[in-house]
Amino acid sequence: SLDLARLFGTQVGIAIEHLFVIDELERATTRDELTGIGNRKHADALIQSLEEGDALILLDLDGFKEVNDTLGHAAGDQVLQDLSAHLRHCLRDSDTSARLGGDEFLIVARRAFADPLAVADRILIGWSNSGRSTTITAGGALHDPQVEPSMTFDRADQALYQAKGAGKNRAHMWYAGLGGRPSPNGRTPRTV
């Protein structure tokens, strides 16, 4: 019976070790190697997991190409790593970030019913106050459970392009009540 207990203990240990390996493999397939936050695969899963009241916010670094062109790709990589660290610092425990690719990032702010623009503002203002050579433009949309998550992504993308067209370094939100046009929540567009 002691041999049976040892055999059982060994088997349990092996099973736990396998679970750790599987967890690490899963993490490796959903994490961006450079920044340590979620990668595109993780972003796609976040989009599909949207629930009513969740805000989807897209971020784009303004001036990132100039950093790469003038200071080199190592400096650009550092900016991306710094932004990822900034996002981890700014976001609530319930919020999640991922890198879509290049200098584009995605945030899912869970249960952001009251003011999704506040999430974007916190990110933009904190980044601007850090004295970086780049700024951030954001576009977002609240998820409506009556539409597909991909439509929420498209709406956030529309808001991002409107914010970039309005001068960058600002955040706009898409609101259905305004004829489907992106809007800064009835307020003056947020410019840092």
Side-chain angles (χ1 to χ4, degrees):
S1 134
L2 184 58
D3 289 336
L4 185 58
R6 284 186 188 143
L7 178 62
F8 179 73
T10 301
Q11 292 301 316
V12 168
I14 291 171
I16 290 172
E17 186 175 315
H18 284 238
L19 289 174
F20 283 125
V21 169
I22 290 168
D23 186 51
E24 284 300 312
L25 288 173
E26 174 65 22
R27 189 168 308 178
T29 64
T30 60
R31 292 285 162 218
D32 180 67
E33 190 174 309
L34 176 65
T35 63
I37 64 173
N39 62 15
R40 180 61 187 244
K41 181 178 179 181
H42 186 70
D44 291 341
L46 287 172
I47 294 166
Q48 292 306 312
S49 74
L50 289 172
E51 296 180 1
E52 184 175 12
D54 290 349
L56 178 65
I57 301 167
L58 301 178
L59 306 174
D60 189 75
L61 275 166
D62 308 318
F64 181 70
K65 183 179 182 329
E66 290 79 18
V67 171
N68 275 337
D69 290 349
T70 60
L71 301 175
H73 289 284
D77 288 351
Q78 187 61 55
V79 170
L80 296 174
Q81 292 168 340
D82 291 347
L83 177 55
S84 299
H86 176 67
L87 294 177
R88 284 190 293 272
H89 175 74
C90 287
L91 298 178
R92 304 170 301 172
D93 290 342
S94 60
D95 301 339
T96 310
S97 62
R99 181 176 173 211
L100 290 171
D103 64 340
E104 296 179 343
F105 291 75
L106 172 144
I107 309 294
V108 172
R110 302 290 181 190
R111 298 170 299 284
F113 293 100
D115 190 5
L117 202 50
V119 177
D121 284 344
R122 195 168 53 244
I123 294 167
L124 271 66
I125 292 168
W127 185 256
S128 180
N129 289 342
S130 70
R132 307 277 180 202
S133 62
T134 57
T135 58
I136 299 171
T137 300
L142 276 176
H143 180 63
D144 176 350
Q146 296 183 26
V147 301
E148 291 295 319
S150 62
M151 177 62 77
T152 302
F153 179 88
D154 291 344
R155 290 172 173 176
D157 198 39
Q158 289 173 24
L160 174 64
Y161 277 99
Q162 186 198 31
K164 283 200 159 288
K168 303 180 182 177
N169 193 28
R170 63 188 65 226
H172 283 199
M173 289 292 151
W174 190 96
Y175 289 97
L178 298 171
R181 297 192 65 216
S183 166
N185 198 18
R187 299 183 295 246
T188 304
R190 300 287 177 94
T191 305
V192 179

